[in-house]
């Protein structure tokens, strides 16, 4: 088992975040070897049923999947190998953090990934990443992006923040990209994040992120003036098509459509500010302009714990005072579908698809049923033309990435 020893040393070096301070857990071991496979699994049992059940479930699944896939191979140059080991840590006598490291070598690929379990003993419940980062996914995304650059767009798992560990100083993220793990250390102080001991309502899960080929054509769909009763249908279409969009919402609709907005974020969409009650903002005083923006930011933050970074001016009209007084990124559009005006669905579809260029932003409104119907046609046509759908913020990131290359 020389190989295994080497692997353990590697593990030790790898898990800078999971220092093994305590040994209160029991170790279960599975060792199996035949002509085609070699299995070496160590995993912990803690005595906390909920936690142990979850770990057992995952171990069973990995073990069974591995056996089903590889148990009938013969005449292999090398045996196919499954190795699982773990690091166990106890924080504040209250929190157990466990990192399982799974390694598979099938002679062609070396697959390495991490599963983590963060468990609060007192509450008998798992700790979610949002309990630590306080829904500040944008900040974390920026941090990840700064550390791994272009690889950020290769993240193809919507639960890419699912595997983490932490202590009172740092958050440790294990992100699986291309069969490898990127470990990212986020100093909590630097980001002004603190592990929250008090319960906070969990509003939404982890942002959906998908693989974006930076060199592929991208387009950003945007919907203004919602949310409305049609927004839900748009969200379902987007999800079905694995696409995302940016919704520039009117602040005074936030409370009524709170659930829709939460769903929108859950599905990986972006929300932007489109004033509080759709006033013509180049025709108001500076104070009123600021109030329109700030009130909208505040009501969104208070209701769904989300802070927009984009602003779309009502009626697309901008002036210098706006540029001076608004901290948000002002976003217009490249293609206007005029869906508020044209009643014919095909006209809207044509306007949205016929002259689209790479990195275009398309303007629509989630206020009419015909836009819902048009969208069902627009997405497949643009996909056929080779476009990937991104949020406006991602579009901007990709744009600057390309410019700096
Ligand atoms: Zn508008």
């Amino acid at each position: 088992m020389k190989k295994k020893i080497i692997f353990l040393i590697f593990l030790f070096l790898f898990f800078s975040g999971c220092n093994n301070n305590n040994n209160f857990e029991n170790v279960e071991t599975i060792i199996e070897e035949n002509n085609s496979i070699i299995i070496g699994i160590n995993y912990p049992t803690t005595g906390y049923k909920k936690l142990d059940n979850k770990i057992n479930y995952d171990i069973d699944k990995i073990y069974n999947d591995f056996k089903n896939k590889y148990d009938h191979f013969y005449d292999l140059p090398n045996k196919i190998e499954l190795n699982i080991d773990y690091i166990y840590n106890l924080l504040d006598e209250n929190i157990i953090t466990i990192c399982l490291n799974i390694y598979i070598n099938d002679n062609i690929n070396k697959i390495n990934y991490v599963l983590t379990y963060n468990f609060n003993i007192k509450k008998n419940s798992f700790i979610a990443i949002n309990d630590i980062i306080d829904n500040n996914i944008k900040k974390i995304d920026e941090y990840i992006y700064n550390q791994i650059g272009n690889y950020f767009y290769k993240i193809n798992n919507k639960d890419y923040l699912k595997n983490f560990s932490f202590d009172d100083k740092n958050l440790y993220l294990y992100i699986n990209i291309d069969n490898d793990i990127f470990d990212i250390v986020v100093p909590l102080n630097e980001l002004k994040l603190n592990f929250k001991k008090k319960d906070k309502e969990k509003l939404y899960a982890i942002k959906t992120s998908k693989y974006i080929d930076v060199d592929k054509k991208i387009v950003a769909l945007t919907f203004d003036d919602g949310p409305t009763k049609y927004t839900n249908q748009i969200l379902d279409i987007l999800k079905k098509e694995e696409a995302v969009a940016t919704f520039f919402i009117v602040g005074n609709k936030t409370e009524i459509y709170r659930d829709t907005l939460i769903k929108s974020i859950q599905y990986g969409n972006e929300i932007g500010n489109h004033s509080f009650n759709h006033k013509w903002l180049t025709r108001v005083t500076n104070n009123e302009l600021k109030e329109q923006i700030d009130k909208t930011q505040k009501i969104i933050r208070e209701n769904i714990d989300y802070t927009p970074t984009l602003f779309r001016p009502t009626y697309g009209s901008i002036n210098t005072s706006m540029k001076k007084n608004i901290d948000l990124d002002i976003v217009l559009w490249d293609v206007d579908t005029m869906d508020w005006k044209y009643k014919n669905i095909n006209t809207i579809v044509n306007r949205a698809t016929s002259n689209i260029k790479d990195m275009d932003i398309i303007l629509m409104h989630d206020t009419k049923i015909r836009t819902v119907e048009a969208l069902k046609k627009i997405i497949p046509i643009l996909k056929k033309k080779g476009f990937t759908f991104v949020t406006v913020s991602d579009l901007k990131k990709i744009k600057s990435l390309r410019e700096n290359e």
Side-chain angles (χ1 to χ4, degrees):
M1 294 291 280
K2 207 173 183 181
K3 221 170 187 177
K4 175 126 190 195
I5 293 162
I6 294 163
F7 182 61
L8 282 174
I9 294 165
F10 163 73
L11 263 182
F12 181 70
L13 293 170
F14 180 78
F15 282 112
S16 48
C18 288
N19 298 316
N20 201 347
N21 294 334
N22 301 283
N23 288 303
F24 298 131
E25 80 285 7
N26 290 311
V27 188
E28 301 288 330
T29 301
I30 303 169
I31 304 280
E32 232 179 279
E33 185 167 1
N34 62 27
N35 287 334
S36 53
I37 56 169
I38 177 162
I39 296 176
I41 298 176
N42 284 322
Y43 67 97
T45 55
T46 64
Y48 300 99
K49 219 174 172 181
K50 207 169 170 180
L51 176 58
D52 289 344
N53 284 347
K54 179 100 180 65
I55 296 170
N56 283 335
Y57 176 87
D58 289 342
I59 292 282
D60 277 357
K61 190 169 184 320
I62 296 164
Y63 173 86
N64 289 326
D65 287 352
F66 180 82
K67 291 263 283 195
N68 289 337
K69 197 166 172 193
Y70 298 115
D71 209 7
H72 310 291
F73 283 68
Y74 297 96
D75 301 327
L76 292 167
N78 294 300
K79 291 178 183 180
I80 296 174
E81 190 182 343
L82 166 65
N83 239 306
I84 302 180
D85 231 306
Y86 72 92
I87 305 285
Y88 170 100
N89 204 6
L90 184 70
L91 298 171
D92 294 345
E93 296 180 356
N94 244 337
I95 291 159
I96 296 174
T97 69
I98 292 168
C99 304
L100 285 185
N101 191 303
I102 299 98
Y103 173 80
I104 295 170
N105 183 351
D106 69 0
N107 288 329
I108 300 161
N109 294 308
K110 292 187 172 85
I111 299 157
N112 195 189
Y113 63 99
V114 170
L115 293 177
T116 64
Y117 308 84
N118 299 288
F119 190 74
N120 188 322
I121 298 168
K122 239 186 199 166
K123 290 183 189 159
N124 192 38
S125 67
F126 287 95
I127 297 159
I129 185 104
N130 277 337
D131 297 335
I132 297 166
I133 68 171
D134 201 12
N135 284 318
N136 216 329
I137 288 161
K138 230 186 145 84
K139 232 174 192 175
I140 296 293
D141 272 356
E142 267 170 33
Y143 209 91
I144 298 170
Y145 177 71
N146 286 337
Q147 292 197 16
I148 67 173
N150 273 0
Y151 280 101
F152 184 79
Y153 296 101
K154 287 195 152 198
I155 295 171
N156 59 4
N157 182 346
K158 71 179 163 58
D159 293 327
Y160 68 108
L161 295 179
K162 198 181 84 182
N163 292 303
F164 67 95
S165 154
F166 65 97
D167 53 33
D168 43 1
K169 287 189 193 70
N170 294 313
L171 169 70
Y172 307 92
L173 299 169
Y174 308 106
I175 301 179
N176 300 316
I177 303 170
D178 288 351
N179 291 338
D180 236 325
I181 313 161
F182 285 71
D183 56 330
I184 288 160
V185 184
V186 185
L188 294 173
N189 286 347
E190 196 179 302
L191 290 172
K192 298 200 169 51
L193 297 170
N194 283 304
F195 174 56
K196 294 240 158 142
K197 289 195 169 150
K198 74 176 188 354
D199 271 313
K200 200 165 198 301
E201 189 189 359
K202 197 180 156 203
L203 291 178
Y204 49 85
I206 306 305
K207 188 187 116 180
T208 312
S209 181
K210 59 179 218 163
Y211 173 87
I212 302 166
D213 186 341
V214 190
D215 299 321
K216 249 182 141 184
K217 290 193 286 184
I218 52 168
V219 66
L221 299 171
T222 64
F223 296 91
D224 286 11
D225 300 355
T228 67
K229 59 181 175 179
Y230 304 115
T231 310
N232 244 314
Q233 295 177 57
I234 288 176
L235 294 176
D236 290 338
I237 295 166
L238 289 168
K239 181 159 192 249
K240 194 176 145 237
E241 295 281 1
E242 294 184 319
V244 291
T246 304
F247 293 83
F248 290 96
I249 71 160
V250 180
N252 65 5
K253 293 182 180 176
T254 304
E255 278 169 346
I256 318 165
Y257 288 101
R258 183 173 174 273
D259 291 346
T260 306
L261 292 171
I262 290 169
K263 179 171 158 180
S264 183
I265 298 297
Q266 276 174 340
Y267 286 4
N269 301 295
E270 181 168 21
I271 290 169
N273 186 323
H274 192 47
S275 84
F276 193 74
N277 54 10
H278 213 273
K279 276 220 163 159
W280 202 308
L281 295 181
T282 46
R283 299 177 179 181
V284 299
T285 62
N286 275 349
N287 278 345
E288 200 176 338
L289 167 68
K290 279 195 144 182
E291 199 193 315
Q292 284 275 333
I293 306 294
D294 294 346
K295 247 172 113 175
T296 303
Q297 291 295 97
K298 188 165 176 260
I299 199 165
I300 295 173
R301 201 172 323 133
E302 281 174 1
N303 274 277
I304 64 164
D305 213 355
Y306 178 95
T307 308
T309 59
L310 307 176
F311 170 70
R312 173 165 282 163
T314 46
Y315 308 100
S317 62
I318 305 181
N319 59 16
T320 43
S321 118
M322 212 178 250
K323 285 182 187 163
K324 232 186 277 165
N325 286 297
I326 297 175
D327 293 332
L328 305 171
D329 268 344
I330 299 177
V331 178
L332 290 174
W333 56 84
D334 303 294
V335 175
D336 187 353
T337 59
M338 304 270 260
D339 57 342
W340 53 274
K341 180 176 159 190
Y342 293 111
K343 295 201 168 71
N344 185 305
I345 289 164
N346 287 331
T347 309
I348 300 168
V349 173
N350 284 338
R351 293 186 65 94
T353 55
S354 50
N355 290 309
I356 300 293
K357 301 180 308 300
D358 185 27
M359 296 206 276
D360 272 354
I361 296 174
I362 302 175
L363 170 65
M364 288 186 273
H365 297 80
D366 47 338
T367 53
K368 300 261 181 346
I369 188 70
R370 57 180 180 254
T371 299
V372 178
E373 294 308 320
L375 186 68
K376 287 179 191 164
K377 296 185 179 180
I378 290 168
I379 295 178
I381 294 172
L382 290 178
K383 271 187 177 172
K384 234 184 194 166
K385 290 189 172 188
F387 284 97
T388 302
F389 299 88
V390 296
T391 60
V392 171
S393 284
D394 279 349
L395 184 135
K396 283 168 170 272
K397 270 188 206 161
I398 293 170
K399 196 174 181 182
S400 74
L401 244 170
R402 287 178 181 171
E403 281 164 0
N404 294 328
E405 255 174 11

